[in-house]
Amino acid sequence: MARARVTMEVGPEGVAVITFSNPPVNALAVPVLAGLREKYDEAMRRDDVKAIVVTGEGRRFSGGFDINVFEAVQRTGNLEALPDFSIDIIVNRIEDGKKPSVAAIEGLALGGGLELAMGCHARIAVPRVQLGLPELTLGVIPGAGGTQRLPRLVGLEKAIEIMLLSKSITSEEGYKLGLIDAIVSPVELLKVAQLWALDIAERRKPWIRSLHKSDKLGPLPDTQQIVKISRQQARQTARNMPQHQGCLDVIETGILQGGYAGVLQEAKVFKDLVLSDTSRGLVHVFFAQRMTSKVPGVSDIGLKPRPVKKVAVIGGGLMGSGIATALILSNIQVVLKEINPEFLLKGNKSIEGNIKSLVTRGKLAQEKAEKALSMLKGAMDYSEFGDVDMAVVENVSLKQNIFSDLEKVCPPRCILATNTSTINLNLIGEKTNSQDRIVGAHFFSPAHVMPLLEIVRADKTSAQVILDLMTVGKTIKKVPVVVGNCTAFAVNRTFFPYSQSAHLLVNLGVDLFRIDRVISDFGLPIGPFQLQDLAGYGVAVATTEEYSGAFQDRVFLSPLLKLMIKNGRNGKNNGKGYYIYEKGSKPKPDPSVLPIIEESRRLTNIMPGGKPISVSDQEILEMILFPVVNEGCRVLDDGIVIRASDLDIASVLGMSFPSYRGGIIFWGDTVGPSHTYKSLAKWTSLYGNFFKPSRFLEERATKGIPLCTFNIVDFEITLVDSTLFTVRLKKKS
């Protein structure tokens, strides 16, 4: 691995070019910052240096501050590990230095990289550079002067938009706004930057310290109104996330008290936020997503992914059409097979509708839409399957022997995948001679939108097939998470208690609409009952039956759904559910469901003494989500996922668990395994085995071990040969 380094070369005209390197994105790691400090000190001392150009090596300026430092600070609680980048380097050495600095920018300047550039006295960029301050996505604010300099360079309203939405702009837009001083070709970049720096030094161009600018801030009443409106918007769109209000606080301080006071306040707020639960959660999710690519026995044994250029999708229903859409959007040819012309036409129309929706919403250009649709071909037989690299079966529940058919018509290297979570992959494989090629490709609905792809290993799925499918997942812009084979796979299994605990609470007398409100206040998009309305009750009934067969020791069978169906309700599908659905308005609680709920309570008869239980909002939240944490612990204990963080990122991307909570297992650690265990044990004694703590949770709680420390390296993994990777795991002794 290339080491971080900073070099300096002084040209005959007296311009020092300071170049920092830390592949792949020139992250501003501690050694890079130390090198910048050292080279700036040298340049300021040397009499032969008149001006300075600072740039990044490898056609990238900088992707920002090294996030590994955040993780280390959060793990240890030691804020001393944060270098003083803002005052010590940017203010003292660069902006207030006695020699001018010009940033020469290629590729990207994000976060601390853009803050470094804004501390310079001019910025020269090549075309199509990506510029932005995305720190709020990690639960912090720009911490090296970004909250002060960006408003002074581009105007307050635009700066707030860039920071609060973590929105990047191009160098072309930056030039129009005043953030970039000139755009030149890559060949001319250094030459122009050097001449610009000399012109500043010799007073032919203005020596601008952006922290001291105020002309773009506007009159005080206007700026205060902009900040006020931004606060109101942030309260609506960024609930439970303190970094947005913190960012606006610091911006306002700079407006009222001056840029330098704003920089000092920014540093204080940054340090407060970096240790917040929000930042811890978001940083954990950031690393969790990147860890999914590391699969023992797959990504570390020297295999290379094989190209997948053509895929057969068998079944054009909701999931099949969504999968096909995702593939053609990434330039992968698709053969969509259906059993008759009517179904094929319907599948094609669904795909066309998906594409048209993206165009209408401005997410896809018309020419790209046309190209995507040209990658689609329909079929009602297997004649087009002779050269496919992968075949995906939408649902095998009605015809398990379809894999035997595919084995005969597809090439020997073709991946045989299924999206269904209701049929055991090992049973499917028994009917073929290609067990090493059979794998689960579990998409989440809508498949072309939801970012998670669960890759499910059967007992004999080869490592090569897993690697190939991981690569396909990344190609179609999914995050692939490799999981073991069990009922409902990893994510759906973990969350099966979610709706059941909600139904249990309702039957214990808790207001149904209050439950939904508590869950949405916590950060999920909608509560469990509105979610059932959205999905349709047939899905909920079918999955409950599946789970009651697999997990009969810990299910709650509520009669409420069947009573709703009997009453002619099917959620949003027919406009009648727990909520009233009217076109053009938000769903409203339907008071006419209350007698149905009372009938359900009468049938279950579980309210203590026949009276509703009294619980706080926090207790409702915990009674809904602690059983989910508990089932997640069983998933870990069974070795279904490689590491706890895989379940965290899967819960965020597959179930919309709030990313700022860090994922379901991370959140379980945040509230504490001991508290979770004791609460579940108490509810078990009061309400039965639905709440019974798992052995894994009990062990971790009693020994004081965090849940997130789980890793598959605690299990034995058997390598049968270079491509075959079994998933029969047992704990190491």
Side-chain angles (χ1 to χ4, degrees), residues 450-499:
M450 294 295 283
L452 179 65
L453 171 61
E454 278 185 315
I455 297 176
V456 188
R457 308 173 295 201
D459 282 354
K460 295 184 178 179
T461 306
S462 75
Q464 182 67 61
V465 164
I466 295 168
L467 183 66
D468 292 345
L469 191 49
M470 288 171 64
T471 306
V472 171
K474 292 172 186 175
T475 300
I476 62 175
K477 300 177 178 62
K478 306 297 180 190
V479 177
V481 176
V482 178
V483 303
N485 183 30
C486 67
T487 298
F489 307 145
V491 184
N492 285 345
R493 173 179 163 183
T494 297
F495 276 80
F496 95 80
Y498 174 66
S499 61

Side-chain angles (χ1 to χ4, degrees), residues 32-95:
V32 172
L33 297 179
L36 284 171
R37 184 187 299 110
E38 177 190 328
K39 297 304 179 187
Y40 259 91
D41 286 347
E42 181 185 345
M44 295 299 170
R45 286 195 310 267
R46 286 176 58 164
D47 294 335
D48 61 335
V49 174
K50 299 177 184 177
I52 299 162
V53 168
V54 62
T55 193
E57 191 171 81
R59 302 208 166 190
R60 289 182 176 91
F61 190 72
S62 174
F65 186 63
D66 183 3
I67 300 172
N68 289 292
V69 177
F70 286 3
E71 191 275 333
V73 169
Q74 291 169 351
R75 181 167 25 87
T76 62
N78 178 22
L79 287 168
E80 298 297 319
L82 288 171
D84 182 5
F85 178 35
S86 182
I87 303 295
D88 184 44
I89 296 178
I90 295 184
V91 173
N92 294 345
R93 285 173 167 78
I94 299 178
E95 190 168 51

Side-chain angles (χ1 to χ4, degrees), residues 123-129 131 150-155 158-159 162 169-184 213 215-216:
R123 287 150 294 283
I124 314 300
V126 303
R128 295 180 296 280
V129 170
L131 308 167
L150 190 62
R152 287 165 169 78
L153 287 168
V154 305
K158 188 65 179 181
I162 289 170
I169 60 173
T170 63
S171 48
E172 286 81 0
E173 187 176 355
Y175 176 70
K176 292 175 184 175
L177 292 167
L179 177 59
I180 298 298
D181 294 283
I183 296 177
V184 299
K213 281 170 58 69
D215 56 298
K216 288 196 174 181

Side-chain angles (χ1 to χ4, degrees), residues 31 59 195 206 367 372-373 402 424 436 451 493 562 593 607 709:
R59 302 208 166 190
L195 289 173
E367 60 269 23
L373 288 171
I402 195 168
N424 189 315
D436 60 320
R493 173 179 163 183
K562 291 183 177 179
V593 303
M607 287 192 292
T709 58

